[in-house]
Amino acid sequence: MTRADRSFTIVVLADNTLATLNRIISVLRARRFDVLSMTPARTPTADRQGISIVIGSSLVPVQRIVACLDKIEEVKAVRAIEGGRAVCRELMLLKVGREAASTGLLADMLRDGICRVIDESGSAIIVEMVGEPAELGRVVDSLPGDAVRDLARIGPATVWRD
């Protein structure tokens, strides 16, 4: 089981300022929460931002982390994602050798149109994938150790279900 398997996601709606983002980071850092990723996103309202925060395994209950963030004046709402209550997707760019793209899970996903090649040069290809963060992790984990030449993951974007 990896750190990501034991993680949980918190969604924050807050003022859209760098000062607010700095305060949120300061609270998380001061309490030494294990932040795996933090993804700010635009919202329909220009003065608000949504922030998806993935916290690794912690001895601190998720409700305590939510309470700490909720005390920040510029934070308007905080929710812990539980039991499929949100849609969570992530973008990944993956550079692999051509031989790695021709076998296994990645080859199946390319064939099925789940991901697409966005660049081919020399002996490598760059693949664009969008999916659930755990699914993207499984794809990377399924590749031979020397197959991944470069990797960029932006972190999850999360939208709460009604």
Side-chain angles (χ1 to χ4, degrees):
M1 184 178 287
T2 67
R3 288 173 62 210
D5 293 332
R6 298 182 309 258
S7 65
F8 53 89
T9 302
I10 295 172
V11 178
V12 177
L13 179 65
D15 290 349
N16 189 13
T17 67
L18 287 176
T20 300
L21 193 54
N22 184 49
R23 285 187 182 100
I24 291 168
I25 292 168
S26 294
V27 164
L28 296 169
R29 187 185 67 225
R31 288 161 180 81
R32 298 180 187 228
F33 298 135
D34 182 20
V35 177
L36 300 180
S37 73
M38 188 169 176
T39 310
R42 293 180 180 173
T43 66
T45 308
D47 63 340
R48 298 278 188 263
Q49 65 181 323
I51 305 166
S52 299
I53 305 168
V54 180
I55 304 290
S57 61
S58 175
L59 299 175
V60 179
V62 65
Q63 297 84 359
R64 175 72 179 127
I65 299 170
V66 168
C68 288
L69 293 170
D70 201 32
K71 290 179 184 177
I72 301 171
E73 183 178 338
E74 296 85 1
V75 169
K76 306 308 176 196
V78 183
R79 292 183 176 170
I81 304 303
E82 300 175 48
R85 297 283 312 180
V87 174
C88 188
R89 307 292 280 177
E90 183 175 6
L91 168 68
M92 176 173 72
L93 299 177
L94 178 65
K95 182 179 180 181
V96 297
R98 287 181 184 274
E99 63 284 352
S102 63
T103 60
L105 182 57
L106 182 56
D108 294 343
M109 294 178 83
L110 285 165
R111 183 192 64 240
D112 295 342
I114 296 170
C115 58
R116 65 186 182 117
V117 175
I118 59 171
D119 186 76
E120 296 184 62
S121 56
S123 63
I125 65 169
I126 299 174
V127 177
E128 175 186 67
M129 302 177 72
V130 175
E132 293 182 11
E135 176 186 27
L136 299 182
R138 282 192 295 277
V139 170
V140 173
D141 292 344
S142 74
L143 296 168
D146 60 344
V148 177
R149 298 187 183 173
D150 202 358
L151 171 72
R153 291 179 70 168
I154 63 164
T158 307
V159 175
W160 190 261
R161 288 189 168 118
D162 288 335

